[in-house]
């Protein structure tokens, strides 16, 4: 997709990966709609993009609330008349062993990371179907392939995102709409204000990347219509290993995380 003047709606754009993704799409000449709960941060980012000559609409949304998601979609359509790219990025993680995990954390993660994404897809994709074009980017995680000890509740939400994306991709393929899943490893963002960074082994923490790297990968996935991306790409062989030897891989991951 040539991104010039395309309308890109990004959830979770008030921080981290979403914030950087908005800047990366704006740099390509796309018209932005940025959404999250923190209105002041959205206004700050919209101000920055406008100052740099871009076009950006800040729209408050809570993705756990269907009416709020519908209202976000309505406002974007009223303003721009279309949505070409939807980046489902809003999400958070709380890490705890399965037996100790707080049920309300588990439910809230599912509500935001999975059902929030479903709400946005159901609100926006019908408009893409009418346009006969569009691209949905679902930000999942490496945790959507590899469920390490203490990451069970969070991983479950990202496994769900990957499963849903696989089905959606085939359901809307013939309508000219693409679906990409993005699977970052650990990324240096405020995500780790809630998620416990110490649950990730020190060696793996050394591979932590900056959010602008994910943002660039997302832009490239849309431009080049790539169905699945890992960030960093060097993690992809790990998944091949998992596909070939799942039991050995799971044991190895468990041991690696328990040792820390
Ligand atoms: N950082 C990592 O290591 C990492 C790795 C793999 C995948 N990911 C995924 O990447 C995505 C972005 O995370 P990040 O690292 O950029 O974290 P972040 O900096 O904490 O950003 C999370 C974003 O989600 C928004 N959000 C949270 N709950 C929301 C809700 N109910 N409604 C609307 N927006 C909501 C937050 O905005 P408000 O608080 O303003 O609503 C914020 O903009 C998440 O899906 C995360 O699971 C992160």
């Amino acid at each position: 997709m040539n991104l010039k003047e395309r309308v890109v709606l990004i959830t979770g754009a008030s921080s981290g990966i979403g914030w950087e993704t908005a800047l990366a799409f704006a740099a390509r000449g796309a018209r932005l709609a940025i959404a999250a709960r923190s209105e002041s941060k959205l206004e700050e980012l919209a101000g920055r993009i406008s100052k740099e000559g871009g076009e950006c609409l800040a729209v408050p949304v809570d993705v756990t609330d269907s009416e709020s998601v519908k209202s976000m979609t309505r406002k974007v359509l009223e303003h721009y008349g279309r949505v070409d790219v939807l980046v489902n990025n809003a999400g958070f993680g709380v890490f705890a062993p399965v037996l100790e995990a707080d049920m309300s954390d588990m439910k809230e993660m599912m509500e935001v990371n999975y059902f929030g994404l479903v709400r946005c897809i159901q609100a926006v994709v019908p408009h893409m179907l009418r346009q006969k074009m569009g691209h949905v980017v679902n930000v999942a995680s490496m945790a959507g392939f590899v469920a390490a000890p203490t990451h069970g509740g969070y991983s479950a939400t990202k496994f769900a995102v990957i499963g849903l994306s696989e089905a959606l991709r085939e359901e809307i393929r013939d309508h000219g709409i693409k679906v990409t899943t993005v699977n970052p490893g650990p990324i240096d963002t405020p995500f780790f204000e809630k998620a416990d960074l110490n649950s990730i082994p020190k060696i793996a923490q050394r591979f932590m990347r900056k959010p602008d790297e994910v943002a660039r990968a997302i832009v490239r996935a849309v431009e080049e219509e790539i169905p699945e991306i890992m960030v960093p790409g060097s993690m992809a062989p790990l998944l091949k290993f998992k596909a070939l030897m799942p039991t050995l891989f799971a044991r190895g991951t468990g041991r690696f995380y328990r040792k820390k």
Side-chain angles (χ1 to χ4, degrees):
M1 187 189 288
N2 180 347
L3 289 170
K4 188 108 184 95
E5 294 188 2
R6 291 290 179 202
V7 177
V8 180
L9 167 59
I10 304 172
T11 68
S14 64
S15 172
I17 293 170
W19 178 288
E20 292 297 332
T21 302
L23 291 173
F25 275 110
R28 285 287 209 268
R31 296 180 289 167
L32 268 298
I34 53 172
R37 291 166 305 177
S38 318
E39 290 187 49
S40 59
K41 289 188 192 162
L42 292 178
E43 291 300 342
E44 184 189 334
L45 178 58
R48 179 171 161 188
I49 289 173
S50 305
K51 224 172 162 181
E52 290 167 8
E55 203 175 336
C56 187
L57 175 73
V59 199
V61 74
D62 181 342
V63 297
T64 66
D65 176 352
S66 296
E67 286 312 311
S68 176
V69 169
K70 283 182 196 158
S71 155
M72 166 192 77
T73 309
R74 211 169 33 243
K75 283 176 189 158
V76 177
L77 288 168
E78 275 167 14
H79 189 83
Y80 288 121
R82 58 189 295 120
V83 179
D84 298 302
V85 181
L86 166 66
V87 182
N88 282 307
N89 166 72
F92 76 102
V94 175
F95 300 155
V98 174
L99 297 187
E100 293 162 25
D102 186 321
M103 275 307 281
S104 61
D105 285 341
M106 300 265 253
K107 285 183 182 169
E108 187 64 14
M109 280 190 282
M110 223 18 131
E111 271 302 326
V112 177
N113 302 2
Y114 176 66
F115 289 115
L117 169 143
V118 176
R119 284 183 193 97
C120 293
I121 287 170
Q122 290 190 339
V124 173
V125 172
H127 300 283
M128 291 180 171
L129 289 174
R130 277 195 279 280
Q131 293 168 191
K132 298 190 172 54
M133 66 90 64
H135 199 129
V136 178
V137 177
N138 291 331
V139 178
S141 174
M142 288 298 288
F145 290 96
V146 180
T150 76
H151 295 186
Y154 175 68
S155 272
T157 70
K158 297 300 186 177
F159 271 70
V161 167
I162 289 170
L164 179 105
S165 305
E166 219 169 276
L168 180 69
R169 183 178 296 122
E170 293 309 314
E171 286 167 8
I172 59 182
R173 178 188 292 283
D174 293 342
H175 298 270
I177 300 160
K178 313 289 177 205
V179 177
T180 294
T181 46
V182 179
N183 304 300
I187 308 296
D188 186 8
T189 70
F191 178 87
F192 287 104
E193 286 170 10
K194 273 191 183 154
D196 179 12
L197 182 60
N198 292 322
S199 73
I200 297 174
K202 290 272 180 302
I203 300 177
Q205 286 181 34
R206 277 196 227 140
F207 293 96
M208 187 173 263
R209 302 302 176 105
K210 296 284 179 203
D212 59 316
E213 187 173 336
V214 186
R216 284 196 302 275
I218 290 174
V219 167
R220 193 167 71 85
V222 174
E223 285 179 333
E224 298 176 18
E225 300 181 350
I226 304 170
E228 186 175 89
I229 47 170
M230 311 287 161
V231 185
S234 55
M235 281 189 169
L238 264 184
L239 301 183
K240 292 214 171 83
F241 178 44
K242 183 183 177 182
L244 285 173
M245 294 184 192
T247 311
L248 192 64
F249 184 88
R251 290 233 182 107
T253 305
R255 201 165 294 160
F256 180 56
Y257 270 71
R258 279 195 304 274
K259 263 190 187 167
K260 284 204 279 255

